[in-house]
């Protein structure tokens, strides 16, 4: 008997003409780990909100069909029972924290349920110990890192002892290490407590292998409902679906009898591979070798950030010994040196609060270094105002919504042109830009109504309108699905090929591996390493893509992109066949 | 924020006594201070209240935070003195007498009016300093816990507002920066143009705040808010430090009543400043010392580790 049963579920948001959920039917078993996949706006979040009982009570709109939890129709379950059955963790921890103090946040749900102080104390002790939150109980939540904030939210839900835990992209705002920690906790809850978990996640490499069931949604419908990950991989490969993590994607075309889901399985397969492991390989040599997505700027640098092969005339940005201390005395940056030339594509990585955003703001002139200098095209940044640099340096901050307020996408681009008093032959330049960023069909749309990836591109278009030579992007891949990330990566590579320099901060190792030319690692306010992506990413523990983990120590050459991985896999197949 | 620095900051925050005080204790203390400042007119007693609060702020390491409040308070003090001096023509000691000005007559500035303005300004400084202490010592969650029960909704709204206000301020600054990066110049033009350019920033801010409010509401809903009767998790016990402060407040109230009955807390500025005696001085000193008890406890707490487990 299904534990969660969804029957003919259809839902319309208020004033919407198209349904967000279109006749969804689903049965989930108790204790299952369910992974929900799909593009932005496909109805994933709406479905889990319906299961959490937030529809239509909280959102309004029209709901048809039924949801049964443990054979009881959800609308007949009292709310105090429902909130103890289903716990939900949302995407952004900042927008879920109600109280200012960690302990008070943890007990909030229990207080709402009217539990006794003794019981609250016991559960507080348990969740505090399980999630290692005891040292922070008396802390101010605003002082915590993103990972800790999300742990606090998760703990506050767990303190209510739900039977079903729903997580809507819980790691999208976190760095790789913090993201792994959250998913490890979720996996433990599922495996050790038997808790039913429904997880929406875009970074599949972190959770695909954990799933007992994979659901893929499109336009409000469930198009795949698989309990066999291998079968899902086969289907996704056949349909060219982007919803595959790197390892299965890499092996999918190899006609391998068994598709590995994890790095461990992949490595075992490679180590044990015999001529019979890969049969009738469908790998196409020319296709694999001609992927052309290895982004190498062809420049060689040493540890002191001097470039031996760079033309000094191409130098755009020079950061010399930059340190920065905030007004509250916190030293966010110390002794940073960095040079960027035309055509550079550098990704800056590091833990949360390492000082990455502060460095970007110092480079853009939004903050002025406490020590050291920042020069752009030989001129010190502080000599001109922020707005005067807009034509030379583009800056895309973490939240694209900060840019968008005008009635149409076209207006957003024209706004920048007008501010900078650039020639107003808008019809051509704006159209070219819209075309370049794949926004032509959306020119007359209201930007805030678009999907997250589209909003990101509109915000990017609004800064590219100024035709900057250096483009700075802070966490542009947050919340983007595979397709959107690929589109963004390709756009950035085109801009790089046009000779613009790109400086990008991200926690997304897979994105960095595929599209960047170089990687710099930052910790505790200082850039501690910089080099080409193969050099940095193939030699790391956590800041390394899955493909690199697969081949680490098995071969001498660095392999970090899917294309390189395919080539290497093909060589392996070829060797084994001999 | 560097992790080590943040960790140190976190540890030092943990070690402060002000975080151990019950919100009720702090609220009682501040209510008494504000009430007395409104009741007293004698500048000695107002000065005693001001110095007592200032020393408590100093001992709680809040001087940097207080300075911004003080700047505003001093501006108000100057305005009050200015307005009082020009509007009130009472007082016998004339400092300045202008020639007749059409419509205004002769402006008469007296020493007494100046002192009265300073006295009222001092009262305002006491209230502003007490508000500063409230903002940095009483945790918003503490107010929610304190009110609990039926007032919970009001307290939650208050607590959320206190928490979200700095977030909105940060949003505003961030959106301004983003628009500057798109070439918007907020400086150097007339106020009309600056206002026009700020409208998009406010528009984005309102849209973002609305979205955040919606997400917070959804999070509250998912955690069973509004189910009915709720309980309150009161972990902090009343410590000796709280009790000593409450005793000090009681002593202050008793002393104040005695002083009021003797008419010592009143002061007549007009027509001439009344004379002050040593009784006024000693009364103010005792009142101030009792009100400085939180500062003495804090210094003791810092100096003698054995006191930490007791206070």
């Amino acid at each position: 008997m299904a534990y969660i049963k969804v029957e003919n579920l259809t839902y319309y948001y208020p004033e919407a003409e198209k349904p967000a959920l279109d006749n969804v039917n689903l049965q989930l078993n108790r204790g299952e780990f369910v992974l929900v996949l799909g593009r932005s706006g496909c109805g994933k979040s709406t479905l889990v909100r319906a299961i959490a009982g937030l529809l239509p009570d909280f959102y309004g709109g029209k709901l048809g069909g039924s949801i049964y939890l443990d054979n009881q129709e959800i609308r007949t379950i009292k709310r105090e029972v429902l909130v103890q059955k289903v716990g939900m963790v949302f995407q952004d921890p900042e927008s879920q924290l109600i109280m200012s103090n960690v302990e008070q946040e943890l007990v909030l749900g229990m207080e709402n349920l009217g539990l006794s102080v003794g019981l609250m104390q016991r559960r507080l002790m348990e969740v505090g110990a399980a999630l290692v939150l005891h040292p922070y109980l008396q802390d101010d939540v605003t002082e915590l890192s993103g990972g800790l904030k999300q742990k606090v939210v998760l703990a506050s839900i767990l303190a209510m002892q739900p039977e079903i835990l729903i997580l809507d992209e819980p790691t999208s705002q976190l760095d790789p290490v913090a993201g792994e920690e959250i998913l490890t906790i979720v996996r433990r809850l599922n495996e050790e407590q038997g808790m039913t978990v429904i997880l929406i996640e875009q970074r599949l490499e972190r959770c695909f292998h954990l799933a007992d069931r994979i659901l893929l949604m499109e336009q409000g419908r469930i198009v795949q409902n698989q309990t066999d990950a291998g079968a899902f991989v086969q289907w996704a490969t056949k349909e060219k679906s982007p919803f595959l993590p790197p390892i299965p994607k890499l092996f999918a075309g190899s006609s391998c009898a068994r598709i590995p889901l994890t790095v461990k399985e992949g490595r075992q397969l490679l180590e044990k591979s015999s001529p019979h492991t890969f049969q009738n390989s469908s790998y196409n040599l020319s296709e694999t070798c001609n992927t052309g997505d290895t982004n190498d700027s062809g420049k060689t640098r040493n540890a002191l950030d001097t470039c031996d092969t760079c033309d000094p005339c191409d130098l755009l940005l020079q950061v010399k010994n930059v340190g920065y201390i905030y007004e509250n005395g916190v030293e966010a940056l110390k002794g940073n040196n960095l040079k960027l030339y035309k055509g550079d594509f550098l990704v800056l990585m590091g833990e949360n609060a390492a000082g990455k955003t502060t460095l970007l703001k110092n480079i853009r002139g939004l903050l002025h270094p406490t020590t050291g200098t920042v020069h752009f095209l030989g001129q010190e940044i502080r000599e001109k105002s922020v707005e005067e640099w807009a034509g030379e340096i583009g800056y895309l901050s973490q939240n694209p919504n900060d840019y968008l307020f005008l009635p149409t996408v076209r207006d957003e681009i024209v706004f920048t042109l007008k501010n900078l008093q650039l020639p107003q032959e808008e019809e051509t330049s704006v159209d070219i830009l819209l075309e370049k960023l794949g926004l032509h069909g959306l020119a007359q749309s209201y930007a805030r109504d678009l999907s997250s990836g589209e909003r990101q591109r509109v915000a990017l278009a609004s800064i590219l309108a100024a035709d900057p030579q250096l483009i700075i992007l802070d966490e542009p891949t947050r919340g983007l699905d595979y397709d959107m990330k690929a589109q963004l990566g390709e756009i950035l590579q085109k801009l790089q090929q046009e000779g613009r320099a790109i400086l990008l901060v991200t926690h997304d190792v897979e994105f960095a591996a595929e599209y960047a030319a170089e990687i710099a690692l930052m910790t505790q306010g200082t850039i501690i390493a910089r080099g080409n992506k193969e050099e940095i990413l193939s030699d790391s523990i956590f800041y390394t893509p899955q493909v690199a983990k697969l081949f680490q120590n098995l071969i001498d050459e660095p392999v970090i992109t899917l294309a390189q991985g395919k080539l290497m896999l093909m060589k392996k197949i070829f060797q084994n066949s001999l | 924020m560097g992790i080590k620095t943040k960790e140190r900051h976190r540890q030092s925050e943990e070690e402060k006594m002000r975080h151990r005080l019950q919100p009720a204790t702090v609220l009682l203390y501040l209510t008494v201070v504000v009430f007395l400042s409104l009741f007293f007119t004698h500048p000695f007693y107002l000065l005693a209240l001001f110095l007592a609060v200032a020393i408590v702020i100093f001992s709680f390491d809040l001087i940097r935070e207080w300075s911004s409040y003080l700047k505003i308070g001093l501006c108000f003090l100057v305005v009050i003195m200015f307005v009082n001096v020009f509007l009130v023509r009472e007082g016998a000691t004339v400092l300045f007498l202008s020639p007749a000005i059409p419509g205004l007559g002769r402006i008469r500035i007296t020493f007494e009016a100046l002192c009265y303005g300073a006295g009222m300004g001092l009262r305002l400084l006491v209230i502003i300093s007490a508000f500063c202490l409230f903002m940095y010592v009483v945790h918003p969650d503490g107010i929610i816990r304190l009110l609990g029960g039926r007032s919970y909704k009001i307290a939650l709204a208050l607590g959320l507002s206190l928490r979200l206000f700095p977030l909105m301020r940060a949003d505003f600054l961030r959106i301004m920066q983003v628009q500057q990066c798109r070439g918007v110049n907020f400086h150097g033009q007339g106020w009309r143009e600056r206002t026009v350019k700020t409208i998009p920033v406010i528009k984005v801010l309102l849209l973002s705040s609305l979205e955040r409010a919606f997400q917070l509401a959804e999070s509250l809903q998912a955690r069973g808010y509004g189910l009915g009767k709720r309980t309150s998790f009161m972990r902090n016990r009343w410590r000796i430090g709280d009790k000593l402060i409450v005793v000090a407040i009681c002593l202050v109230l008793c002393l104040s009543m005695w002083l009021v009955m003797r008419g010592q807390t009143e002061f007549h500025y007009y027509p001439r400043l009344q004379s002050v005696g040593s009784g006024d001085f000693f009364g103010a000193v005792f009142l101030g010392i009792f009100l400085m008890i939180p500062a003495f406890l804090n210094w003791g707490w810092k100096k003698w580790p054995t006191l930490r487990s007791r206070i």
Side-chain angles (χ1 to χ4, degrees):
Chain A
M1 184 63 77
Y3 182 48
I4 302 170
K5 192 172 161 191
V6 178
E7 272 185 355
N8 307 321
L9 192 71
T10 300
Y11 176 71
Y12 290 83
Y13 279 103
E15 294 171 36
E17 287 174 8
K18 275 179 71 183
L21 295 175
D22 188 4
N23 199 28
V24 173
N25 286 286
L26 178 67
Q27 294 194 3
L28 305 176
N29 299 321
R30 193 187 288 269
E32 267 188 336
F33 193 120
V34 183
L35 180 60
V36 188
L37 308 176
R39 290 183 168 84
S40 291
C42 71
K44 308 181 296 287
S45 298
T46 310
L47 175 64
V48 295
R49 277 165 172 78
I51 295 172
L54 293 169
L55 303 179
D57 289 358
F58 186 76
Y59 283 87
K62 287 182 283 182
L63 184 79
S66 309
I67 300 172
Y68 297 91
L69 294 184
D70 218 1
N71 283 326
Q72 199 178 351
E73 219 285 330
I74 201 165
R75 278 171 282 202
T76 64
I77 303 174
K78 283 186 178 171
R79 206 172 133 232
E80 55 263 42
V81 178
L82 188 63
V83 293
Q84 290 183 82
K85 258 188 192 293
V86 188
M88 184 152 177
V89 176
F90 300 92
Q91 194 169 357
D92 182 7
E94 197 67 67
S95 303
Q96 296 172 75
L97 295 166
I98 309 293
M99 311 299 278
S100 309
N101 168 277
V102 172
E103 187 181 77
Q104 286 304 307
E105 188 68 35
L106 295 186
V107 298
L108 177 73
M110 295 190 283
E111 286 179 328
N112 289 337
L113 292 172
L115 302 185
S116 69
V117 173
L119 187 57
M120 282 196 265
Q121 255 174 338
R122 221 177 68 201
R123 289 194 187 176
L124 183 66
M125 184 273 283
E126 285 192 61
V127 293
L131 274 69
V132 203
L133 285 172
H134 271 304
Y136 308 98
L137 284 181
Q138 297 311 317
D139 279 14
D140 198 322
V141 287
T142 53
E143 293 285 324
L144 303 180
S145 67
L148 273 171
K149 280 180 186 163
Q150 196 63 294
K151 259 167 89 172
V152 169
V153 173
L154 180 57
S156 74
I157 296 293
L158 293 178
M160 296 166 77
Q161 294 197 336
E163 293 168 24
I164 303 162
L165 180 63
I166 297 175
L167 303 106
D168 188 356
E169 298 193 34
T171 67
S172 64
Q173 317 284 318
L174 311 181
D175 65 73
V177 179
E180 289 288 350
E181 199 184 349
I182 292 288
L183 289 175
T184 304
I185 295 165
V186 173
R187 180 183 58 78
R188 271 178 45 209
L189 289 166
N190 175 252
E191 287 177 359
E192 294 168 16
Q193 314 290 328
M195 191 178 282
T196 307
V197 172
I198 303 175
L199 172 70
I200 299 177
E201 181 61 62
Q202 295 292 356
R203 295 193 208 172
L204 302 185
E205 64 276 9
R206 293 172 173 176
C207 55
F208 192 80
H209 59 287
L210 303 174
D212 297 314
R213 183 185 295 274
I214 299 162
L215 303 177
L216 179 66
M217 293 190 70
E218 265 176 30
Q219 297 179 339
R221 288 173 168 269
I222 294 176
V223 292
Q224 274 293 302
N225 180 356
Q226 281 286 357
T227 50
D228 178 3
F232 180 85
V233 171
Q234 296 292 357
W235 175 87
T237 310
K238 194 176 150 205
E239 297 294 322
K240 293 196 165 74
S241 167
F243 297 101
L244 270 184
I247 299 293
K249 191 181 269 181
L250 182 64
F251 280 87
S254 69
S255 296
C256 179
R258 187 170 63 90
I259 302 288
L261 299 181
T262 62
V263 172
K264 184 181 165 186
E265 287 174 15
R267 286 177 71 89
Q268 282 170 349
L269 197 67
L270 287 178
E271 281 169 353
K272 289 177 191 167
S273 60
S274 69
H276 306 292
T277 310
F278 303 96
Q279 288 172 344
N280 305 320
S281 169
S282 64
Y283 264 52
N284 181 327
L285 183 69
S286 58
E287 185 197 312
T288 312
C289 297
N290 196 25
T291 51
D293 67 348
T294 50
N295 186 357
D296 188 353
S297 58
K299 296 164 185 171
T300 53
R301 289 176 202 275
N302 62 30
L304 295 171
D305 195 52
T306 53
C307 179
D308 303 327
T309 53
C310 301
D311 181 352
C313 299
D314 287 344
L315 180 66
L316 291 179
L317 175 77
Q318 186 167 22
V319 174
K320 271 193 208 165
N321 196 32
V322 163
Y324 186 80
I325 301 174
Y326 279 102
E327 269 182 23
N328 60 4
V330 172
E331 190 177 16
L333 296 177
K334 45 195 166 188
N336 284 287
N337 293 294
L338 184 72
K339 278 181 185 171
L340 279 180
Y341 292 82
K342 284 179 186 171
D344 274 352
F345 187 161
L346 175 70
V347 165
L348 189 58
M349 305 185 86
E351 77 273 4
N352 279 338
K356 304 183 293 295
T357 298
T358 308
L359 180 61
L360 296 191
K361 286 187 172 178
N362 272 271
I363 290 171
R364 184 58 186 84
L366 295 167
L367 298 172
H368 294 305
T370 315
T371 57
T373 54
V374 177
H375 285 84
F376 189 79
L377 289 172
Q379 189 177 8
E380 198 176 343
I381 285 283
R382 66 169 81 215
E383 285 174 13
K384 279 174 31 179
S385 66
V386 175
E387 51 274 17
E388 282 173 321
W389 282 113
E392 279 93 26
I393 310 173
Y395 177 71
L396 187 65
S397 76
Q398 287 184 1
N399 188 355
N401 286 344
D402 288 349
Y403 292 76
L404 312 175
F405 65 95
L406 287 162
T408 69
V409 169
R410 178 181 289 277
D411 291 341
E412 295 287 356
I413 297 168
V414 173
F415 178 74
T416 306
L417 290 171
K418 280 183 182 166
N419 287 329
L420 297 173
Q421 292 163 350
L422 290 169
Q424 296 291 308
E425 69 273 19
E426 301 149 13
E427 295 311 316
T428 51
S429 60
V430 175
D431 285 335
I432 291 168
L433 193 55
L434 287 168
E435 193 71 54
K436 199 173 177 179
L437 296 186
L439 294 167
H440 210 269
L442 305 168
Q444 296 308 318
S445 306
Y446 178 48
R448 288 182 92 98
D449 281 346
L450 302 177
S451 73
S452 50
E454 288 161 347
R455 270 180 281 149
Q456 187 72 266
R457 276 183 278 151
V458 177
L460 184 59
S462 79
I463 63 158
L464 289 181
D467 198 23
Q469 296 183 61
L470 169 64
I471 302 160
I472 299 172
L473 304 100
D474 196 354
E475 294 267 15
T477 60
R478 278 203 322 187
L480 299 192
D481 63 35
Y482 273 77
D483 258 359
M484 289 173 178
K485 273 193 261 188
Q487 285 169 10
L488 178 69
E490 281 157 19
I491 289 166
L492 293 178
Q493 282 190 335
K494 270 185 207 159
L495 292 168
Q496 180 201 7
Q497 282 155 14
E498 286 171 10
R500 295 173 216 265
I502 292 161
L503 175 60
L504 183 148
V505 163
T506 186
H507 289 306
D508 193 331
V509 185
E510 305 293 333
F511 180 84
E514 286 298 324
Y515 300 103
E518 289 180 283
I519 307 288
L521 295 179
M522 191 168 192
T523 185
Q524 296 182 19
T526 309
I527 296 174
I528 52 155
R530 177 181 178 177
N532 68 51
K533 61 180 177 183
E534 282 82 7
E535 184 190 327
I536 300 283
L537 296 180
S538 62
D539 198 25
S540 299
I541 305 163
F542 288 105
Y543 288 96
T544 185
Q546 291 221 314
V547 177
K549 288 176 190 167
L550 180 73
F551 290 103
Q552 218 162 35
N553 303 325
L554 291 181
I555 52 162
D556 296 331
E557 298 169 54
V559 177
I560 60 163
T561 65
L562 270 173
Q564 290 168 340
K566 279 182 182 176
L567 190 62
M568 219 30 82
L569 199 59
M570 198 186 61
K571 278 186 186 172
K572 190 85 181 163
I573 295 166
F574 182 68
Q575 280 167 6
N576 288 335
S577 303
L578 285 175
Chain B
M1 192 185 282
I3 280 182
K4 269 190 179 170
T5 329
K6 194 175 170 182
E7 193 65 20
R8 273 201 302 276
H9 178 67
R10 194 176 68 72
Q11 283 165 359
S12 64
E13 284 292 306
E14 270 177 5
E15 285 163 8
K16 285 174 181 161
M17 191 199 86
R18 61 182 150 103
H19 294 135
R20 289 194 180 192
L21 292 175
Q22 283 293 314
T25 311
V26 183
L27 276 178
L28 182 67
Y29 176 84
L30 295 175
T31 308
V32 168
V33 167
V34 171
F35 172 76
L36 293 180
S37 73
L38 293 173
F39 202 77
F40 295 166
T41 50
H42 200 298
F44 273 20
Y45 293 98
L46 288 172
L47 193 63
L49 292 175
F50 177 72
L51 289 177
V53 175
I55 284 172
V56 172
I57 286 172
F58 174 71
S59 83
F60 284 177
D61 299 324
L62 293 170
I63 289 290
R64 202 167 60 87
E65 290 81 357
W66 184 46
S67 60
S68 51
Y69 284 80
L70 210 54
K71 277 179 205 160
I72 299 166
L74 287 170
C75 291
F76 274 116
L77 188 143
V78 171
V79 171
I80 290 170
M81 284 176 73
F82 187 79
V83 171
N84 197 61
V85 155
F86 283 95
L87 293 185
V88 178
R89 297 181 179 195
E90 289 179 57
T93 317
V94 179
L95 297 176
F96 174 75
L97 189 65
S98 76
I101 300 169
L104 288 174
R106 298 180 78 179
I107 292 173
R108 187 170 180 268
I109 296 176
T110 66
F111 178 63
E112 289 75 15
L114 206 61
C115 290
Y116 184 83
M120 294 310 102
L122 190 58
R123 175 181 284 168
L124 188 70
L125 282 183
V126 174
I127 295 169
I128 286 175
S129 303
F131 181 71
C132 168
L133 208 54
F134 169 77
M135 289 298 286
Y136 288 96
V137 176
V138 181
H139 210 276
D141 296 353
I143 308 167
I144 295 174
R145 271 185 294 157
L146 188 69
L147 294 175
R150 274 175 281 179
S151 319
Y152 181 73
K153 282 182 187 172
I154 301 165
L156 183 68
L158 184 67
L160 271 175
S161 312
L162 286 175
R163 197 174 85 76
L164 293 182
F165 185 73
L167 273 178
M168 276 185 76
R169 188 174 168 272
D171 285 349
F172 181 77
L173 293 175
R174 198 187 62 242
I175 297 162
M176 286 269 282
Q177 289 182 343
V178 158
Q179 297 302 336
Q180 278 179 290
C181 291
R182 293 175 76 182
V184 180
N185 183 5
F186 291 104
H187 313 287
Q189 297 119 342
W191 67 269
R192 194 185 291 272
E193 200 172 339
R194 278 205 299 272
T195 310
V196 169
K197 287 186 171 174
T198 311
I199 289 170
V201 177
I202 293 168
K203 221 168 153 180
V204 177
L205 180 72
L206 289 177
L207 286 166
S208 303
S209 302
L210 201 65
E211 281 164 10
R212 180 181 285 138
F214 194 79
Q215 287 163 351
L216 282 170
E218 192 179 25
S219 174
L220 266 173
Q221 173 92 355
R223 279 189 275 174
Y225 176 73
L227 281 174
K229 201 180 172 195
R230 66 191 307 279
T231 43
S232 178
F233 183 79
M234 291 283 284
R235 190 183 174 88
N236 293 350
R237 288 174 291 116
W238 281 78
R239 293 170 174 272
I240 292 182
D242 291 297
K243 290 172 187 169
L244 285 173
I245 292 172
V246 172
V247 169
I249 292 167
C250 293
L251 288 172
V252 165
L253 286 174
C254 294
L255 180 64
S256 302
M257 277 174 67
W258 184 69
L259 291 168
V260 168
M261 283 192 294
R262 284 170 56 91
Q264 265 184 252
T265 56
E266 278 183 42
F267 190 82
H268 300 289
Y269 290 86
Y270 303 111
R272 284 184 188 281
L273 299 182
Q274 76 173 58
S275 60
V276 289
S278 58
D280 299 330
F281 176 74
F282 286 115
V285 167
F286 278 114
L287 191 82
I289 287 172
F290 289 143
L291 283 172
M292 285 177 204
I293 290 285
F296 299 142
L297 288 172
N298 192 36
W299 282 322
W301 189 85
K302 279 181 188 169
K303 193 159 183 178
W304 296 292
T306 48
L307 270 183
R308 292 189 182 195
S309 58
R310 293 171 188 272
I311 296 179

